[in-house]
Amino acid sequence: VQLQASGGGLVQAGGSLRLSCAASGSIRSINSLGWYRQAPGNQRELVAVIRSDGRPPQYANSAKGRFTVSRDFGKHTLSLQMDGLKPEDTAVYYCNADRVVTKDLQYNYDIWGQGTQVTVSS
């Protein structure tokens, strides 16, 4: 099981970017798909996550009202629409999948994509 993230780039403050994450492999189901970010010198932090239990998406306080996460359960993809970007949003953004069940009923936990750089200039 692999995660491929895309959509990062350089944008001015107030601009928008859309990140995409695609999970590939022989996947039966994924419990949670989420976006995390890590700025230089900081720990990796949750941005937004959607779980398969029907609960509403969970957002970091810093993302609420500006970012919108969406998930296609059938295609195993996750998107993050980021509007009103701020310089403090600058970070490497990572896609994460947890409790992935493959078609041969193997369980995989805490899978990370390669990260995509988001840079917001002031």
Side-chain angles (χ1 to χ4, degrees), residues 1-5 21-37 44 46 48-50 71 76 78 93-104 106-115:
V1 178
Q2 292 185 327
L3 299 176
Q4 181 68 42
C21 173
S24 61
S26 182
I27 298 171
R28 179 184 180 94
S29 65
I30 302 174
N31 178 32
S32 69
L33 266 178
W35 288 102
Y36 291 73
R37 69 186 183 186
R44 193 170 297 187
L46 172 70
V49 62
I50 298 181
R71 177 176 172 178
H76 305 306
L78 185 75
Y93 284 68
Y94 296 90
C95 182
N96 174 271
D98 195 29
R99 209 181 78 188
V100 179
V101 184
T102 61
K103 292 182 179 178
D104 60 353
Q106 299 297 313
Y107 283 71
N108 299 268
Y109 296 91
D110 204 24
I111 300 170
W112 293 93
Q114 86 284 9

Side-chain angles (χ1 to χ4, degrees), residues 38-65:
Q38 187 168 18
N42 291 356
Q43 290 187 334
R44 193 170 297 187
E45 62 179 6
L46 172 70
V47 177
V49 62
I50 298 181
R51 298 178 177 86
S52 62
D53 59 5
R55 286 182 288 174
Q58 179 184 349
Y59 292 94
N61 287 336
S62 59
K64 290 179 181 177

